[in-house]
Amino acid sequence: MLFCHSQPESFHQPSASYIREALAPFLKHEEARLMAESGDGRHGEGGGGPFQYVLCAPTSPAVKQTDETLTYLNQGQSYEIRLLNRKLAAFSEISSKYVKSIVRVVFHDRRLQYMEHQQLEGWRWSRPGDRILDIDIPLSVGVLEPRSHPLHLNTIEFLWDPAKNATVFIQVNCISTEFTPKKHGGEKGVPFRVQVDTFTTNEQEEYMEHVQSASCQIKVFKPKGADRKLKTDREKIFKRELQDQEKYQLSHETTVLKECSLWPDTLNLPSNNSNGSIALSPAYHSPPTSCSFTEGCSPDQPAELLVAGCADLLLTTSSQQDTQQWLLTHRFSSFAKIFSSFSGADLLRMSRDDLIQICGPADGIRLFNSMKGRSVQPRLTIYVSQQQSRSPVSLKALGGEVYHALYLEELTLLDLTDKLSQLFKISSQRIVHIYRQTPAGIHVLVTDEMVHNLTEETSFIVCTIRDENTDGFHVVLK
């Protein structure tokens, strides 16, 4: 999903009187620092993008001068991000009145970036109905059409007028230690990144033209934990010798996001598709807008597709169009636009709590019951048995090992990982890799393509190998 992402590039800040005018009312403590940076000889008047993003949370003093800033946040607390147009001359180059900004919380470590999809799915499984990132609408100023997608728990988006600036308040609901395995009774939380990607419209009036990206490093603690950690860091640095203190950064009352490259999967989000539609965030419902769809099924479709699309049942093989037709047939037309990008498999994968949060208690329960009225047939069944060092006598009488059936609704590595973790009662996040041992004895890494080509009712002996670097396991299918 998301892969190797470069660290932020050097931040460019041109000298401009507008910065002083915009920041003076609410960034008194930061003005001297910002102006000092803008006067640095490395920054040319044309350097950097037109916008500046400021997270209103103090930076840690326990960071060396050569390292990137680190900011501590409290779980669930609203924090302000100020979006400023620091280069009014560049505004003439922006064709649209409004720009779109996408804010996300992502992993800082590249190892976790490679595993982001699995990590976020594991978090979603353990925290049903919750989001990693939310927007606090009542506190935000100058923000239009705030939106998010039910399956992109770490992303929000909105429009704003760069001629007037804007303020958005975000809430991060996960904590850094939720993605760290326990070691020796203690935990060390992983760092995240808050990243803002801003776009303007192209000739088709779609927000696809990338303008600027910026990010900063954060760690998230349980409520009030960030304040205690910041106090501890300050006391720790204060106790050092003066010459040692000079090796560390000064703590600032706010955090300036530094320019970086565009996040890899941004243009693949549902919000950037051809019609620009995206589901509204479950937490911020607006009255459903009218949306017209073709009544019935197309007469040009083959007969077998007519059965799947117009039948009373929603199937994992149902396309987006079939799913829309099913919603209309079952009197869920008011939610058709919200689920416009969902296939049957996407909708069937949602839990009862997810649907209640999106559609409300009455319609959410009715939608869940309508979908689950008939059990979904698995697309693949395999049998596995955990390798035992010594087989019990009772099993020998049965003529071999006892196997368990795994029913895969999706022919993906993620679905296989989830089923194995449920069977052996371990977190899916602890399964680092899955390998298949060939008759020649070599170990082949299992991928989505391999799962897709598994033969129905294949049987495997499963053994686990503890990973040397983490608290996880490697699973081998023999």
Side-chain angles (χ1 to χ4, degrees), residues 115 118-127 177-182 187 414-434 464 466 470-475:
M115 303 166 57
Q118 293 90 330
Q119 294 286 342
L120 297 187
E121 280 296 311
W123 190 89
R124 180 176 180 272
W125 179 265
S126 63
R127 300 271 298 272
T177 52
E178 289 185 271
F179 301 96
T180 306
K182 294 183 178 180
E187 292 182 331
L414 177 61
D415 197 14
L416 176 60
T417 303
D418 289 340
K419 295 300 188 299
L420 287 171
S421 66
Q422 295 172 30
L423 177 62
F424 298 116
K425 294 180 171 54
I426 62 173
S427 170
S428 60
Q429 300 176 30
R430 299 182 64 189
I431 299 179
V432 182
H433 290 298
I434 300 178
T464 57
R466 185 173 292 276
T470 67
D471 194 31
F473 295 92
H474 298 280
V475 177

Side-chain angles (χ1 to χ4, degrees), residues 434-447:
I434 300 178
Y435 300 90
R436 183 176 182 182
Q437 182 173 312
T438 67
I442 64 173
H443 294 85
V444 181
L445 187 66
V446 176
T447 61

Side-chain angles (χ1 to χ4, degrees), residues 201-401:
T201 54
N202 57 16
E203 295 178 355
Q204 288 75 38
E205 299 298 322
E206 302 169 325
Y207 287 96
M208 299 286 286
E209 296 295 328
H210 178 237
V211 177
Q212 185 181 3
S213 295
S215 67
C216 67
Q217 183 182 196
I218 65 168
K219 280 191 176 182
V220 186
F221 296 81
K222 291 182 179 180
K224 298 185 179 180
D227 308 304
R228 291 193 292 267
K229 176 61 174 171
L230 186 62
K231 180 181 178 181
T232 301
D233 283 359
R234 286 172 174 166
E235 292 174 349
K236 177 182 176 182
I237 296 300
F238 182 75
K239 292 178 181 179
R240 290 179 175 269
E241 297 291 338
L242 184 58
Q243 59 182 7
D244 289 336
Q245 292 183 25
E246 294 176 351
K247 298 178 182 178
Y248 292 85
Q249 300 179 14
L250 294 176
S251 178
H252 298 283
E253 292 303 314
T254 58
T255 306
V256 177
L257 278 63
K258 296 193 174 183
E259 291 198 55
C260 63
S261 56
L262 175 66
W263 193 257
D265 77 332
T266 301
L267 296 178
N268 295 326
L269 289 175
S271 56
N272 288 290
N273 58 16
S274 58
N275 59 13
S277 64
I278 184 168
L280 288 172
S281 171
Y284 314 110
H285 258 308
S286 63
T289 55
S290 60
C291 184
S292 60
F293 296 92
T294 304
E295 294 294 332
C297 296
S298 170
D300 296 329
Q301 288 180 305
E304 58 268 24
L305 291 184
L306 292 178
V307 173
C310 297
D312 189 56
L313 300 174
L314 182 66
L315 306 176
T316 56
T317 54
S318 299
S319 65
Q320 293 182 9
Q321 182 180 355
D322 296 336
T323 303
Q324 289 292 311
Q325 183 60 45
W326 185 90
L327 290 169
L328 294 174
T329 303
H330 289 77
R331 297 179 290 111
F332 294 107
S333 57
S334 58
F335 304 103
K337 189 172 183 180
I338 293 178
F339 298 115
S340 61
S341 61
F342 281 52
S343 65
D346 295 331
L347 205 53
L348 287 167
R349 204 158 37 224
M350 301 194 74
S351 68
R352 183 174 182 268
D353 290 338
D354 292 337
L355 295 172
I356 289 175
Q357 189 175 20
I358 295 172
C359 306
D363 289 321
I365 294 173
R366 186 169 69 88
L367 177 55
F368 180 80
N369 292 338
S370 299
M371 292 193 311
K372 304 297 182 179
R374 174 179 177 270
S375 60
V376 179
Q377 295 298 317
R379 299 181 64 184
L380 177 69
T381 301
I382 61 174
Y383 306 112
V384 298
S385 176
Q386 191 170 17
Q387 187 176 46
Q388 304 289 337
S389 57
R390 182 178 299 174
S391 298
V393 176
S394 59
L395 292 182
K396 291 182 179 179
L398 296 175
E401 302 284 346

Side-chain angles (χ1 to χ4, degrees), residues 41-147:
R42 294 173 300 173
H43 304 309
E45 184 66 31
F51 306 126
Q52 183 178 66
Y53 313 99
V54 180
L55 172 63
C56 294
T59 60
S60 168
V63 177
K64 292 186 177 181
Q65 294 283 1
T66 55
D67 294 338
E68 184 185 1
T69 60
L70 176 61
T71 303
Y72 303 136
L73 304 183
N74 289 316
Q75 178 188 24
Q77 181 174 329
S78 295
Y79 288 92
E80 180 182 6
I81 297 180
R82 289 167 181 149
L83 306 105
L84 308 171
N85 183 0
R86 61 190 176 95
K87 199 174 180 182
L88 284 178
F91 183 64
S92 59
E93 301 174 6
I94 300 176
S95 57
S96 58
K97 179 179 179 181
Y98 300 107
V99 294
K100 174 189 286 185
S101 286
I102 299 176
V103 182
R104 72 190 71 226
V105 171
V106 293
F107 291 112
H108 172 79
D109 296 337
R110 290 182 176 179
R111 178 181 64 85
L112 290 174
Q113 289 177 16
Y114 282 111
M115 303 166 57
E116 184 188 66
H117 181 68
Q118 293 90 330
Q119 294 286 342
L120 297 187
E121 280 296 311
W123 190 89
R124 180 176 180 272
W125 179 265
S126 63
R127 300 271 298 272
D130 289 347
R131 290 188 56 81
I132 287 179
L133 181 65
D134 270 324
I135 177 173
D136 194 335
I137 295 294
L139 294 179
S140 301
V141 178
V143 171
L144 305 174
E145 301 183 19
R147 302 184 179 195

